[in-house]
Amino acid sequence: MKKWIWLVLLVLVVVVAFGSRGGTFFEQHPSPEIVVSVPAQQPQQPPQSPPVKSTLQISADKLFTHIQKLNFQRYTFEGRSLTRTYIINELQKLGWKPKLEDFSAGINIFAERTGTDKKAGAILVAAHFDTVAASPGADDNASGVAVVLEVARLLNSYSTPRTLQLAFFDQEETGLLGSKAFISKKTRLKNLRGVIVMDMVGYACYTAGCQQYPKALPVKPPTDKGDFLAVVGDTEHLPLLNAFQNSNSANLPPVLTLPIPLKGLLAPDTLRSDHAPFWYQGVGAVLVTDTANLRTPHYHQPSDIPATIDRPFFLGAAQIVVNATARLLDNSEVLVTQPAS
């Protein structure tokens, strides 16, 4: 009888955590206090990947041009339509052939560049482009859109074993609707080896106490300053998470990788962005974020404008994403956590 009670409780937690309205991953909500014994996860060594080509250097001018061009509210049908037009035009300039994918509440954008080895599968790089009302969303999430467009520019003609896919999700702010529509196409998921989702990657703070953390985080916070880039992944796909490596370069911010067990059951705040639907389809996905409202005072505010973007941090975050994407595309390594030998 006790076994059935626990099963019912766990199902309820999943429904509440995953079915709640979107925002961003770090938006705080009351978390149920559940005490569960989590099996110890064996540490997995980061993959021995080839060095990233020096030609894959991000352009500050191009990134900030995207931020400026998207400096308007993108929550109405008209605003989101203008955003799609901008993204499509930019992709076409770069040689991509983007497709519009309708769903009941909006329209996603998808594009693909095939790799040299069909068996190696695909890596998807994605960001949502909508905003909440009254906010122009420079950080949330023009910053993510800009980085995906920079990945498109740098890696379109970069021959790799794996296929590169790009997605721009609509209606994330109303309940992750775009990403949920995307994962409903099951045939697409069969070839998908890993997903990189960016949701706010442009803000940093450097004073003691300016960084907060969600409840039930399964690691001890290393700092109370918000100078790091957080990468959140599930423990079932540690090689994907480990592709995001700290660099010796002083120009790149530190990377804090957060392996989350049990698909976020014990930390529901870790489910609040477009990576979560992929987790529940068994697809490895990471969320790359500046931690949103746990760091920035401009979250969902009219003040989320280009002027409040931290330029050095944003450029460093973009380079980290480009580097990790190139590493993942350049090899055919299995990205599922392997059992301890």
Side-chain angles (χ1 to χ4, degrees), residues 195-222:
V195 182
I196 300 171
V197 171
M198 280 161 290
D199 197 349
M200 304 183 65
V201 291
Y203 188 84
C205 63
Y206 305 97
T207 58
C210 70
Q211 177 70 54
Q212 304 298 315
Y213 294 88
K215 297 177 181 178
L217 200 66
V219 297
K220 183 178 179 180

Side-chain angles (χ1 to χ4, degrees), residues 82-248:
L82 289 172
T83 307
R84 280 190 293 270
T85 299
Y86 177 78
I87 292 170
I88 289 170
N89 287 341
E90 291 301 305
L91 289 174
Q92 289 176 338
K93 290 177 187 176
L94 297 169
W96 292 79
K97 296 179 180 179
K99 299 177 182 178
L100 295 176
E101 298 187 345
D102 296 20
F103 59 98
S104 59
I107 306 173
N108 292 332
I109 302 170
F110 177 75
E112 183 177 67
R113 185 269 289 158
T114 56
T116 59
D117 182 1
K118 291 184 179 180
K119 295 182 180 179
I123 298 295
L124 173 69
V125 182
H128 77 87
F129 61 82
D130 60 311
T131 69
V132 296
S135 178
D139 191 20
D140 186 14
N141 189 32
S143 64
V145 170
V147 178
V148 179
L149 288 173
E150 190 65 350
V151 168
R153 181 182 73 85
L154 290 170
L155 295 174
N156 185 33
S157 58
Y158 183 42
S159 180
T160 61
R162 283 194 167 119
T163 292
L164 172 61
Q165 296 178 342
L166 309 175
F168 300 84
F169 297 133
D170 199 357
Q171 297 286 40
E172 185 269 353
E173 298 288 2
T174 56
L176 315 182
L177 301 185
S179 54
K180 288 178 181 178
F182 186 91
I183 60 97
S184 68
K185 299 183 178 183
K186 305 302 181 185
T187 55
R188 171 181 286 161
L189 300 183
K190 291 180 180 179
N191 194 46
L192 199 52
R193 300 294 183 267
V195 182
I196 300 171
V197 171
M198 280 161 290
D199 197 349
M200 304 183 65
V201 291
Y203 188 84
C205 63
Y206 305 97
T207 58
C210 70
Q211 177 70 54
Q212 304 298 315
Y213 294 88
K215 297 177 181 178
L217 200 66
V219 297
K220 183 178 179 180
T223 177
D224 60 357
K225 296 180 180 180
D227 59 349
F228 59 87
L229 184 67
V231 184
V232 184
D234 66 310
T235 54
E236 297 173 15
H237 297 86
L238 291 179
L240 177 63
L241 187 64
N242 289 335
F244 289 81
Q245 303 168 4
N246 273 298
S247 170
N248 293 325

Side-chain angles (χ1 to χ4, degrees), residues 229-313:
L229 184 67
V231 184
V232 184
D234 66 310
T235 54
E236 297 173 15
H237 297 86
L238 291 179
L240 177 63
L241 187 64
N242 289 335
F244 289 81
Q245 303 168 4
N246 273 298
S247 170
N248 293 325
S249 172
N251 296 324
L252 301 182
V255 175
L256 175 61
T257 54
L258 299 172
I260 304 299
L262 300 178
K263 298 186 185 298
L265 278 175
L266 304 183
D269 282 327
T270 64
L271 299 173
R272 303 199 61 80
S273 195
D274 287 315
H275 63 296
F278 293 95
W279 282 9
Y280 282 85
Q281 294 298 318
V283 177
V286 295
L287 171 66
V288 184
T289 180
D290 60 22
T291 77
N293 58 300
L294 294 182
R295 179 184 300 179
T296 173
H298 309 295
Y299 174 70
H300 285 185
Q301 298 299 315
S303 57
D304 187 6
I305 57 177
T308 54
I309 294 288
D310 186 295
R311 291 178 67 95
F313 178 85

